[in-house]
Amino acid sequence: MLNRKRSFVLQTVLATLLASPVAAVAQDRETEALHYFHAGQQLQQAGSYDAAAQQYLKVISLMPQAAEAYASLGLAWNAAGRYSESAQALAKAAKLKPGLPGVSLYFGIDLLKLDKRSAAIPHLEEALRLEPTNKQAYLWLCAALSESGHIPEAV
């Protein structure tokens, strides 16, 4: 019985010791990622879209499942006119976290800018479903519908 208790205590202590450095590394990684994310936001607000994108890529390298980093990367590239890269980043953000604000709208806009009108329509409809009063989503959806030959639906 004593050996069993000792074994359990040793396993518990060992698990705690092993988990602590991992938890500390994870926390350091999150702190570093948050630093890059804030730097990206500041650069984006200053109009330095490519530099902002580089910061968001650093976040993604540290936290590859961070949907918000992909969304921010997509928005930065959209603002820089890099619609193909933006669409790829926004598609990843939508896959990781469906319904993330702005993703469907800008993904649809990117697809429209890339002359993929029919592909843009469901994303712009989703943007309107998520935000029914979003005038920008409505205008882009009307443009996508009319440019793809769906004029009655656009009106």
Side-chain angles (χ1 to χ4, degrees):
M1 179 80 162
L2 186 56
N3 283 340
R4 231 186 266 177
K5 277 187 177 180
R6 183 177 290 171
S7 177
F8 175 76
V9 169
L10 286 174
Q11 287 176 351
T12 304
V13 169
L14 185 59
T16 303
L17 288 174
L18 290 175
S20 295
V22 172
V25 168
Q27 187 173 7
D28 288 347
R29 184 171 274 202
E30 288 176 11
T31 301
E32 187 178 0
L34 191 58
H35 168 76
Y36 291 131
F37 188 79
H38 288 304
Q41 287 180 324
Q42 290 176 337
L43 287 163
Q44 193 168 346
Q45 288 174 355
S48 299
Y49 304 117
D50 288 327
Q54 294 308 309
Q55 296 301 306
Y56 297 135
L57 286 169
K58 290 177 183 178
V59 174
I60 290 166
S61 73
L62 292 167
M63 300 180 69
Q65 299 302 312
E68 292 81 3
Y70 286 99
S72 295
L73 176 62
L75 294 177
W77 276 339
N78 174 280
R82 296 173 63 178
Y83 303 115
S84 181
E85 293 98 331
S86 176
Q88 290 174 11
L90 294 171
K92 181 71 174 184
K95 183 178 179 182
L96 289 170
K97 195 171 191 177
L100 196 60
V103 170
S104 294
L105 173 62
Y106 283 93
F107 190 19
I109 292 169
D110 289 339
L111 292 171
L112 196 55
K113 296 274 187 179
L114 294 167
D115 291 326
K116 298 180 180 179
R117 294 169 188 89
S118 295
I121 292 170
H123 299 287
L124 296 169
E125 289 174 335
E126 175 70 4
L128 269 176
R129 188 187 67 73
L130 294 170
E131 294 182 75
T133 60
N134 187 325
K135 291 178 184 176
Q136 188 179 14
Y138 179 76
L139 292 173
W140 282 105
L141 177 59
C142 287
L145 288 167
S146 65
E147 289 177 22
S148 62
H150 296 96
I151 296 172
E153 291 99 332
V155 180

